[in-house]
Amino acid sequence: MPRFDSDPVFCALLQNGQTPDRGHYAIELQDFTHSEQRYLPNTAILATTLYDEHGGMVEVQDFAPRFERFGRKFRPVMLVRRIRLIAGSPRICIRLRPAYGYGAGKPGLTYGSNHIRYVCPDQVLRLTTNASVTAIVDEVPFVLEDDITLLLGPDESIHQPIPDVGREYFERTHDYWRNWVRYLGIPFEWQDEVIRSAITLKLSSYEDTGAIIAALTTSIPEAPGSQRNWDYRYCWLRDSYFVVNALNRLGATKTMEDYLQYIINTTANARGGRLLPVYRINGKADLEEREIPQLPGFRGMGPVRVGNQAYTQIQNDVYGASVLAAAHVFFDRRIANPGNEALFTRLEGLGELAYQHYQEPDAGLWEFRGIAGVHTFTAVMSWSGCQTLAHIAEHLGLQERAQHWYRRAAEMRQVIDANAWDEQRQTYVATFGGKHLDASLLLLRELGYLKADDPRFANTVTAIEKELRHGDFLYRYIREDDFGKPTNAFTICTFWYIDALTALGRREEARALFENVLRCRNPLGLLSEDVETDTRELWGNFPQTYSMVGLINSAMRLSKPWEGAY
């Protein structure tokens, strides 16, 4: 709290049990036997049912309030927990132990008749509750005789009856999410899976600035003991393009409009016009990477990193990705403030940078730390941005500018084909003049560079599946990088492969692979960044927006049409 990229209040996932006196918030049922957990349908409200050996049952509802109030969105930085008595006479213990300084510090504590204040150097948290304050402070188990409400947030007083506040927040938040989902354009098949993915993507948007983070966690390893532990609580311009594209496909346009403002503000503040690949959610680039020695890491597999050194890298695809993310506002009639000539002029500056740098070596979308090359994906994303500018100019009636960008795109295509196509192997390759493949080449059709019936696309897909497919999953690449060879499959790459097979007419094979990935989700329907191909265990930061985007896109393409489906 108070932001995605803030010092974590609860960091037990990275503590590995070493500092049990801080960093977690537990509702413990005495004589506990088992539990069940689910989201309430079509909401972001989590319900956990706890059972004891005497027939007692307790339900814990967790949510962040979100609804319309006084003509604007009410979304306080607050976690609401409602503990509901379902059956019996269960005994519970509430252990609320915040931390600060990435697990290094334990807050000071003061309390009154209905609240507890946790005093950290940078903020004060207040728990307001109708439970016994003494029972919480001293962590004394007690018999749950009536429902309890726990409001954890800023150090602000609550002036209404606490159970009434909890009930109102619950009901209005429940209605908000149900109404939001009602207006999604979902496929006939896999509706629950797509709805859960869409809600997860919306939860990854920081609406105050429009930034979209890559994942909610830091330092969950990509594979056991791999040292591939990164902080993903920031906004990657490329990843965000894929997120807004998926949400727009579902009809959720507001996230895209908010993100466009983030791009405009970030571009305006860019030094020398150059864009970085990743920014904080406030648009700043102070992302110096450091390790946190006091946190042993997920299952003891450190290091835990804060910040991300990718912000120092050159990743030239960001210009094309930013143009593509903004392009929707020129063509989508649902947008409240459609794109105009002034916005187009801003985007032209990004197009010029795409054109200037598309042939230069960069770290690529996989963010190699010690390897640079002229990456085909970067060049094609840059080409797509320039081609899209031509379409926008034509749409606005700016024929001279349209012809300018068409000429630029045609020139870029000639260069790409001359350098990225391996005539001997009959496939596109990952870098100009290189021999390696990577899964981003599966996006050549998605980005409009090749048509599905172009033999070069089919040949490239065939080459990739021979080299990168492992069982039912796809690796992003198999070459050695700064940390050796990858040992887990990158989830989004499998979805890209599924989409490519669908485009080539191999739908039954694609459906089987899609169902296989769905079986890898956790019980709540969420996916992380990576999958261990033999055990199907999830690894990497979680939940990963890239992965949820892939699920939405593949479901939309594979589903039976609504017409005649039942």
Side-chain angles (χ1 to χ4, degrees):
M1 291 181 173
R3 294 191 334 207
F4 291 133
D5 57 355
S6 296
D7 181 8
V9 175
F10 306 118
C11 49
L13 198 62
L14 301 176
Q15 289 173 303
N16 200 37
Q18 289 194 14
T19 46
D21 63 328
R22 57 187 178 271
H24 67 270
Y25 184 4
I27 311 296
E28 295 181 356
L29 180 63
Q30 307 301 295
D31 302 320
F32 168 82
T33 59
H34 65 287
S35 65
E36 298 168 350
Q37 196 170 61
R38 71 194 193 283
Y39 282 112
L40 300 189
N42 295 355
T43 77
I45 299 173
L46 186 67
T48 307
T49 306
L50 308 174
Y51 299 82
D52 69 22
E53 60 190 34
H54 312 294
M57 292 173 56
V58 170
E59 183 181 77
V60 182
Q61 296 172 341
D62 287 310
F63 64 94
R66 166 186 277 283
F67 47 86
E68 297 289 334
R69 172 185 267 188
F70 308 127
R72 59 181 182 268
K73 195 70 60 60
F74 179 68
R75 48 174 196 265
V77 181
M78 177 183 288
L79 175 64
V80 178
R81 309 197 88 168
R82 300 176 77 213
I83 306 175
R84 300 177 62 234
L85 173 62
I86 306 299
S89 299
R91 294 171 64 242
I92 66 169
C93 182
I94 300 171
R95 303 187 193 278
L96 176 50
R97 301 173 178 178
Y100 67 84
Y102 284 88
K106 185 177 179 180
L109 187 148
T110 65
Y111 56 91
S113 57
N114 294 106
H115 75 269
I116 306 170
R117 300 170 71 248
Y118 299 90
V119 183
C120 307
D122 296 329
Q123 67 178 328
V124 177
L125 299 174
R126 178 189 287 246
L127 177 74
T128 306
T129 182
N130 60 329
S132 163
V133 168
T134 301
I136 297 175
V137 170
D138 294 340
E139 297 185 355
V140 178
F142 59 93
V143 176
L144 183 65
E145 297 178 331
D146 200 356
D147 295 352
I148 286 175
T149 298
L150 303 149
L151 309 173
L152 180 66
D155 189 22
E156 299 170 357
S157 299
I158 304 291
H159 299 292
Q160 301 147 273
I162 296 163
D164 292 352
V165 173
R167 188 179 309 108
E168 179 197 3
Y169 284 8
F170 172 83
E171 291 172 355
R172 298 187 68 176
T173 300
H174 183 271
D175 290 345
Y176 169 86
W177 283 111
R178 299 277 293 186
N179 286 327
W180 185 79
V181 167
R182 184 174 294 136
Y183 294 100
L184 294 177
I186 58 175
F188 178 76
E189 297 181 272
W190 306 296
Q191 293 183 33
D192 290 336
E193 293 86 344
V194 169
I195 288 169
R196 181 54 48 205
S197 298
I199 290 174
T200 303
L201 294 184
K202 184 167 179 59
L203 290 171
S204 300
S205 170
Y206 186 67
E207 291 178 336
D208 189 57
T209 64
I212 299 168
I213 60 171
L216 277 295
T217 57
T218 179
S219 303
I220 311 300
E222 293 181 15
S226 65
Q227 301 285 303
R228 299 174 189 266
N229 301 9
W230 313 117
D231 190 351
Y232 278 5
R233 302 169 299 148
Y234 311 112
C235 183
W236 271 259
L237 301 186
R238 175 200 318 108
D239 297 31
S240 300
Y241 153 68
F242 286 104
V243 171
V244 299
N245 209 31
L247 287 175
N248 194 59
R249 187 170 281 146
L250 294 173
T253 60
K254 184 63 168 63
T255 302
M256 177 183 62
E257 293 180 77
D258 291 342
Y259 178 62
L260 177 59
Q261 290 304 309
Y262 181 82
I263 291 177
I264 291 172
N265 291 328
T266 301
T267 303
N269 295 327
R271 292 183 294 243
R274 293 292 297 259
L275 287 179
L276 305 179
V278 57
Y279 292 87
R280 283 194 179 277
I281 58 179
N282 62 5
K284 293 185 176 181
D286 51 334
L287 287 171
E288 190 68 32
E289 188 174 283
R290 68 187 193 277
E291 295 185 4
I292 306 299
Q294 65 268 16
L295 289 175
F298 178 73
R299 300 187 188 174
M301 298 177 187
V304 171
R305 294 187 173 100
V306 172
N308 198 299
Q309 211 60 27
Y311 87 100
T312 65
Q313 292 183 348
I314 301 298
Q315 296 179 31
N316 291 320
D317 63 293
V318 294
Y319 307 111
S322 297
V323 171
L324 293 177
H328 291 282
V329 301
F330 292 93
F331 300 100
D332 194 326
R333 303 290 289 181
R334 298 167 296 177
I335 303 300
N337 298 301
N340 54 26
E341 190 170 340
L343 177 58
F344 171 72
T345 301
R346 281 181 176 271
L347 296 180
E348 280 197 295
L350 297 178
E352 289 295 341
L353 289 166
Y355 175 74
Q356 291 172 22
H357 301 298
Y358 80 100
Q359 296 186 70
E360 296 177 0
D362 70 356
L365 83 162
W366 306 125
E367 301 185 340
F368 296 115
R369 296 200 166 196
I371 305 170
V374 182
H375 289 90
T376 302
F377 174 83
T378 293
V380 171
M381 181 67 88
S382 301
W383 167 88
S384 188
C386 293
Q387 183 82 353
T388 299
L389 284 172
H391 296 325
I392 295 171
E394 204 163 46
H395 177 72
L396 295 174
L398 306 173
Q399 294 302 325
E400 186 276 327
R401 298 312 299 161
Q403 291 308 310
H404 168 79
W405 288 110
Y406 279 131
R407 287 193 297 271
R408 285 277 170 90
E411 175 191 335
M412 295 165 77
R413 177 183 281 276
Q414 286 185 334
V415 172
I416 294 168
D417 283 346
N419 291 278
W421 175 255
D422 187 323
E423 184 65 30
Q424 182 178 356
R425 298 169 65 191
Q426 289 291 292
T427 181
Y428 282 92
V429 288
T431 56
F432 281 16
K435 294 298 180 184
H436 297 286
L437 302 177
D438 78 45
S440 67
L441 298 170
L442 295 168
L443 296 174
L444 292 176
R445 183 198 62 86
E446 175 92 3
L447 293 172
Y449 192 80
L450 296 178
K451 295 186 180 300
D453 59 359
D454 189 322
R456 295 176 298 174
F457 180 64
N459 289 345
T460 300
V461 172
T462 299
I464 286 173
E465 62 190 353
K466 287 180 179 177
E467 186 167 308
L468 301 183
R469 181 170 174 173
H470 184 97
D472 292 331
F473 301 94
L474 211 75
Y475 283 81
R476 51 187 165 175
Y477 51 83
I478 57 171
R479 64 182 294 190
E480 284 203 10
D481 60 18
D482 317 276
F483 294 86
K485 285 188 176 183
T487 57
N488 279 351
F490 209 67
T491 309
I492 184 63
C493 297
T494 303
F495 285 123
W496 290 346
Y497 179 52
I498 290 167
D499 294 343
L501 294 181
T502 305
L504 291 172
R506 297 162 60 182
R507 294 184 65 87
E508 290 308 311
E509 187 179 354
R511 287 177 69 92
L513 290 172
F514 182 66
E515 293 283 2
N516 173 69
V517 180
L518 292 184
R519 288 191 291 272
C520 295
R521 295 172 305 144
N522 81 339
L524 294 171
L526 305 178
L527 285 166
S528 64
E529 183 184 43
D530 305 89
V531 177
E532 207 289 317
T533 57
D534 295 326
T535 67
R536 300 170 181 267
E537 186 176 11
L538 297 178
W539 285 89
N541 283 312
F542 174 90
Q544 179 81 0
T545 56
Y546 244 169
S547 301
M548 309 312 288
V549 163
L551 189 157
I552 291 171
N553 289 340
S554 295
M556 298 287 280
R557 287 163 175 151
L558 281 170
S559 173
K560 300 173 185 175
W562 280 86
E563 296 78 8
Y566 51 89

